[in-house]
Structure formats: structure tokens, C-alpha cells
């Protein structure tokens, strides 16, 4: 992997199309991922323990697919991996759609005093399958954009720009779901959001057609007539301290990014806790949409400054700021109110009175916006031929977006919504440590050059 920014001062014309395609896939990742938390409010009304299970299943898939996705990348390339991922995602959406019409009265097994119905199992299976999709797409877009930018600051710049579209999709998803379901009642079902799932399926079909026609560079694949001369190495991405610590950082970061808005949705949707008595779910969706909108703003700003401001400096600033904001939200009294934009099907766009602590948590979107690209960029710097393998490991650790919010939800149920945010503070403290000293590559003596390519008569 090139690390000299000057080597990539301007992308080649063919690469511009590939970059645009990667940006589009970035947006799809967020669209699929951010369906989980809003849809969880529907299931939580039926099973009070189930709110974050769909999200958990979505991210659990990363644990199983992270390494295989990295292997696919090295064997069949970026384009085919992306196409397979889109097909898998379409299947997952079909399963979630089926959960609104199949098995709604078929009882499967008891959990406490409640009977779990078959359609909930189908929904969880669909969320799990969609997790395979977004894991594969993430494995493609991050190293591809980092490579097209030449690594270093310019590589981070492209990752942050692509992340801007990711944030835009994340902004619209909870807003659309809130518009469609309004106030969640015991009668609300997955059938009420079927139009959104139809739209998602259409987008996946369009994406498949577009990516099929795009030429994507595959520099790590041997050219026709050549065969990679592979030598067994005693090293791996785990041999690099900054990469290993970065893997832990990715695990915590995704837990932070998902946990902050997901728990905020539950908090604002709970009228007894938030004091919002009308259209609480729609208001929650509108407010949380601002979090993702601020992530869009943050990534746009980062994409502009990343050519001059290092990933490490950005990580230091946003980690400290996020800790201050979350601690402020924890200690701020709940009866202090502010007006924030929201949307409901009945009233359209309006200003809603919400707890001021919600505003502080929403502002964290500006901080989390740059963390993914920053951690990824710092963790793969100087990795060379181990980058593709490391990407699969990073994707495996994205399971943190399911594990940590599930733990946070358990804390919230026993100690309260705001008390659960201490878990977020602890994870942010680790990211601050990583930016301060953990990101330094202390293993520069490990050879990272690509395997040589040699002509093989059998391939001619």
C-alpha cells in the first residue's frame, strides 16, 4: 500500500468511476444497518427484552463473516465480492418483509411468560443475513477507497468523503421509519413498514446493475499470464501492535456509534422517561436523524481538512469532545427542555420540546463521524501486503456494534437510560488512549512488501 500522498494527487479517470461506486455502496451500508434500531421499537412493544436483538443479529454476522469476507476479497476481488454482497442483502430484506406476513400467529417457544412467534424468528434471520451483506460491503469499500487515495491523509480523505454519504443514508433511514410508523402501539407490525422494505429491495437491484457495469481496479489480483509467488510468512496483521489495538478500537467505536442513537431512540420513545406524550416514536426518529445528519456534516468537514490535518489529531479532538458531551448529557437534569426539529405523518416538520440532554447526545454525531475512517487509516498504516487480511479482521470486530449496545440496553433496563451511557464514556476513553499513543507503529522492522509476480507457463 502506497503511503506517499503525492503519488495520488489526482485519481485516474477510470478510478473516478470506481470511487463513485464505492461511495454508493457506503450509503447502502448505512441504510441497511440503520433499519435495525427503529424497527426494534416495534418488536420491543411486543417483547420488552427484544429491542436491540435485531441490531445484535445484524452485527453478529460480522463475527462469522469478517474473515471469510477478507478471503473473498483476496481471491475474487472487490467487484465480485460487492455483487455477492448485494445479492445476500436482497435475500435478507425479503426475510424481513416476510416477517410482517408469515407466522404472525404461530407460537414457537416461551421466553418467561411470553410466547415468541415465528415471524419474530424470521425477522431475526433476515437481520442476520443483512449483516452478512453489510460486512462484505464494508470489507470492499474501506480498503478500496483507502487504496485509491494512496493511503495516508489522502486515503483517509476518501474514506471520510464516502462516509458522508453513509451518514446521509443514516439520516434518512430513521426519519423514514418514524414517518411510516408514527406512534408505536401493540398493533404496530412489520407490515406497516413494507413500503420502506420495497424501496430498499429496489435500491439493491439497481445497485447490482450499476456495479455490474463499473470497472473496479483489482491491483492485488494477479494479471492473466502471471501467478503470485507466495511465501509463507511468520507474520500477520496481529504482529503489528497498532493494528491489534486498532481492532479493539473498531470494536468499541461501532458500539459507540450505534449505542448513542439507538439508546436515544428508546429514551425519547419512552413517554414516562422523556416526557414526550404525542408521537413519541416519530419525534425520536426525527431527533436521531439529526445525529446522522451531523455525522454527514462532520465527514464532509473531515474530507476537506484530512489532506492537511492528520487522522491522529482528528481522533484526539473528537474523542475528548465526545467524552465531554456524553458526561454533560448524563448529569444534565431531564426537566431542562430545548426545541429540536422532528417529523410526523400527521403534522409534518415541526419543532418538538425534548430533554436538553438529547441535544448533547445528538451533537456527538460530529465526533463519531470521523472515528471510523481515522481508526481504520491509523490501524492499516504501514501494513502493506497484510492490508486486505486486516480488513477482514476489522470487519469481524464490527460485531461490537451488536454486543456493546446489547450490554448498554441491559444496563438501561436495570439502572436507567442515562446511566447506560457510562459504558459509552469508557469506550471513548479507550479511543482517546489509542489516538494518543496506541496508534504508533512500533513494528516497522516487519517486511510488508507485496509478493512478487512471476510468469507461469501453465497460465499461458
Amino acid at each position: 500500500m502506497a503511503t506517499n500522498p503525492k503519488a495520488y494527487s489526482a485519481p485516474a479517470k477510470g478510478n473516478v468511476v470506481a470511487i463513485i461506486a464505492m461511495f454508493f455502496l457506503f450509503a447502502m451500508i448505512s441504510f441497511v444497518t440503520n433499519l435495525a434500531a427503529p424497527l426494534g421499537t416495534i418488536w420491543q412493544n411486543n417483547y420488552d427484552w427484544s429491542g436491540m436483538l435485531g441490531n445484535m443479529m445484524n452485527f453478529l454476522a460480522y463475527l462469522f463473516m469478517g474473515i471469510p469476507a477478507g478471503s473473498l476479497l483476496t481471491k475474487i476481488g472487490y467487484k465480485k465480492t460487492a455483487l455477492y454482497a448485494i445479492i445476500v442483502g436482497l435475500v435478507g430484506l425479503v426475510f424481513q418483509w416476510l416477517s410482517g406476513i408469515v407466522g404472525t400467529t404461530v407460537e414457537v417457544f416461551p421466553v418467561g411468560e411470553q410466547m415468541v412467534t415465528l415471524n419474530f424468528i424470521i425477522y431475526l434471520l433476515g437481520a442476520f443475513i443483512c449483516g452478512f451483506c453489510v460486512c462484505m460491503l464494508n470489507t470492499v469499500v474501506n480498503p478500496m477507497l483507502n487504496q485509491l487515495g494512496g493511503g495516508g491523509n489522502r486515503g483517509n480523505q476518501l474514506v471520510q468523503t464516502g462516509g458522508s454519504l453513509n451518514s446521509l443514508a443514516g439520516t434518512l433511514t430513521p426519519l423514514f421509519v418514524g414517518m411510516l410508523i408514527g406512534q408505536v402501539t401493540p398493533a404496530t407490525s412489520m407490515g406497516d413498514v413494507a413500503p420502506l422494505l420495497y424501496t430498499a429491495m429496489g435500491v439493491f437491484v439497481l445497485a447490482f446493475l450499476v456495479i455490474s457495469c463499473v470497472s473496479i481496479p483489482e491491483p492485488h489480483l494477479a494479471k492473466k499470464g502471471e501467478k503470485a509467488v507466495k511465501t509463507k510468512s511468520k507474520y500477520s496483521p496481529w504482529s503489528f501492535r497498532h493494528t491489534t489495538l486498532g481492532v479493539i478500537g473498531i470494536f468499541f467505536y461501532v458500539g459507540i456509534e450505534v449505542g448513542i442513537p439507538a439508546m436515544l431512540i428508546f429514551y425519547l420513545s419512552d413517554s414516562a422517561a422523556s416526557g414526550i406524550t404525542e408521537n413519541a416514536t416519530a419525534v425520536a426518529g426525527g431527533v436521531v436523524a439529526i445525529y446522522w445528519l451531523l455525522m454527514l456534516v462532520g465527514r464532509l468537514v473531515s474530507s476537506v481538512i484530512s489532506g492537511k490535518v492528520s487522522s491522529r489529531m482528528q481522533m484526539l479532538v473528537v474523542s475528548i469532545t465526545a467524552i465531554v458531551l456524553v458526561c454533560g448529557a448524563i448529569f444534565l437534569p431531564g426537566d431542562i427542555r430545548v426545541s429540536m426539529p422532528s417529523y410526523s405523518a400527521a403534522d409534518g416538520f415541526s419543532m418538538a420540546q425534548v430533554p436538553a440532554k438529547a441535544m448533547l447526545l445528538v451533537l456527538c454525531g460530529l465526533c463519531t463521524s470521523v472515528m471510523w475512517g481515522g481508526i481504520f487509516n491509523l490501524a492499516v498504516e504501514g501494513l502493506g501486503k497484510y492490508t486486505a487480511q486486516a480488513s477482514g479482521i476489522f470487519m469481524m470486530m464490527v460485531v461490537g456494534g451488536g454486543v456493546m449496545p446489547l450490554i448498554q440496553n441491559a444496563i438501561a433496563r436495570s439502572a436507567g437510560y442515562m446511566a447506560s451511557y457510562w459504558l459509552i464514556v469508557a469506550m471513548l476513553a479507550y479511543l482517546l488512549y489509542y489516538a494518543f499513543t496506541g496508534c504508533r507503529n512500533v513494528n516497522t522492522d516487519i517486511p510488508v512488501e507485496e509478493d512478487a509476480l512471476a510468469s507461469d507457463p501453465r497460465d499461458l
Side-chain angles (χ1 to χ4, degrees):
M1 182 186 70
T3 57
N4 180 9
K6 294 181 180 180
Y8 284 80
S9 57
K13 290 183 179 179
N15 285 352
V16 171
V17 179
I19 290 171
I20 294 173
M22 293 303 105
F23 287 171
F24 184 65
L25 292 180
F26 236 138
M28 291 182 62
I29 290 168
S30 182
F31 182 75
V32 175
T33 302
N34 287 290
L35 282 175
L39 294 181
T41 61
I42 296 176
W43 295 106
Q44 183 167 263
N45 204 52
N46 297 313
Y47 311 110
D48 60 359
W49 41 265
S50 68
M52 292 302 292
L53 272 184
N55 179 76
M56 174 62 185
M57 294 299 292
N58 192 279
F59 283 96
L60 183 63
Y62 282 85
L63 185 62
F64 295 94
M65 196 61 196
I67 299 299
S71 298
L72 277 176
L73 199 65
T74 57
K75 290 180 180 178
I76 65 175
Y78 293 104
K79 182 173 180 175
K80 288 184 179 179
T81 302
L83 291 175
Y84 290 161
I86 292 170
I87 295 173
V88 171
L90 184 60
V91 172
L93 289 172
V94 169
F95 269 83
Q96 293 192 62
W97 168 71
L98 286 174
S99 71
I101 58 176
V102 175
T104 56
T105 59
V106 179
E107 297 180 339
V108 181
F109 56 81
V111 175
E113 298 180 354
Q114 293 177 297
M115 291 296 298
V116 175
T117 54
L118 178 61
N119 66 323
F120 181 59
I121 305 301
I122 294 174
Y123 162 72
L124 292 180
L125 180 59
F128 187 64
I129 295 173
C130 281
F132 282 117
C133 164
V134 291
C135 177
M136 294 167 71
L137 290 179
N138 259 316
T139 306
V140 170
V141 298
N142 286 281
M144 183 80 253
L145 286 176
N146 195 56
Q147 172 187 286
L148 290 171
N153 288 352
R154 293 186 186 276
N156 184 41
Q157 192 170 28
L158 275 186
V159 173
Q160 297 295 1
T161 304
S164 299
L165 289 178
N166 181 278
S167 298
L168 178 60
T171 301
L172 297 177
T173 303
L175 184 61
F176 285 161
V177 176
M179 289 167 53
L180 286 169
I181 64 179
Q183 185 71 29
V184 173
T185 68
T188 305
S189 70
M190 287 293 294
D192 296 320
V193 294
L196 180 63
L197 296 176
Y198 292 146
T199 302
M201 293 177 201
V203 170
F204 268 61
V205 172
L206 176 63
F208 185 89
L209 296 176
V210 171
I211 300 300
S212 297
C213 300
V214 172
S215 177
I216 297 177
E218 308 281 3
H220 60 291
L221 295 181
K223 296 179 181 179
K224 187 176 181 180
E226 297 178 326
K227 189 173 182 179
V229 179
K230 297 183 179 178
T231 57
K232 189 174 181 180
S233 174
K234 63 180 180 179
Y235 300 108
S236 74
W238 297 108
S239 303
F240 297 82
R241 192 198 71 161
H242 74 294
T243 302
T244 301
L245 295 177
V247 167
I248 300 172
I250 287 290
F251 181 87
F252 284 153
Y253 160 69
V254 186
I256 293 168
E257 182 196 274
V258 175
I260 290 176
M263 191 54 58
L264 184 56
I265 283 181
F266 292 143
Y267 169 63
L268 295 178
S269 298
D270 187 339
S271 298
S274 66
I276 302 173
T277 56
E278 296 183 5
N279 295 320
T281 303
V283 170
V287 170
V288 169
I290 301 174
Y291 170 90
W292 297 106
L293 181 61
L294 291 179
M295 285 193 70
L296 168 62
V297 173
R299 282 171 171 165
L300 286 174
V301 172
S302 179
S303 68
V304 173
I305 68 173
S306 287
K308 297 182 179 180
V309 182
S310 70
S311 301
R312 179 173 178 267
M313 180 56 65
Q314 292 183 51
M315 283 295 299
L316 285 169
V317 172
V318 298
S319 297
I320 293 172
T321 304
I323 290 173
V324 172
L325 288 172
V326 176
C327 287
I330 292 173
F331 289 111
L332 197 66
D335 56 358
I336 299 178
R337 320 287 284 189
V338 296
S339 293
M340 294 188 69
S342 67
Y343 185 92
S344 68
D347 304 325
F349 286 99
S350 61
M351 300 299 290
Q353 288 291 311
V354 301
K357 57 180 62 196
M359 182 181 68
L360 295 180
L361 294 173
V362 164
L363 288 174
C364 289
L366 289 170
C367 302
T368 56
S369 62
V370 305
M371 289 180 175
W372 172 272
I375 297 170
F376 185 88
N377 182 255
L378 291 170
V380 301
E381 194 65 28
L383 230 55
K385 65 182 179 181
Y386 301 105
T387 300
Q389 185 183 356
S391 181
I393 296 173
F394 293 141
M395 292 310 106
M396 183 176 70
M397 288 297 100
V398 173
V399 70
V403 174
M404 302 314 292
L406 195 65
I407 295 174
Q408 186 182 359
N409 190 47
I411 296 173
R413 291 178 61 195
S414 61
Y417 295 108
M418 289 301 112
S420 73
Y421 278 96
W422 282 116
L423 181 62
I424 300 293
V425 173
M427 292 188 287
L428 286 169
Y430 176 85
L431 295 187
L432 178 59
Y433 153 75
Y434 183 69
F436 185 71
T437 186
C439 65
R440 300 182 187 278
N441 184 1
V442 297
N443 304 106
T444 54
D445 57 323
I446 298 177
V448 296
E449 295 80 10
E450 296 288 348
D451 293 332
L453 290 175
S455 179
D456 188 331
R458 293 172 298 177
D459 294 328
L460 297 178

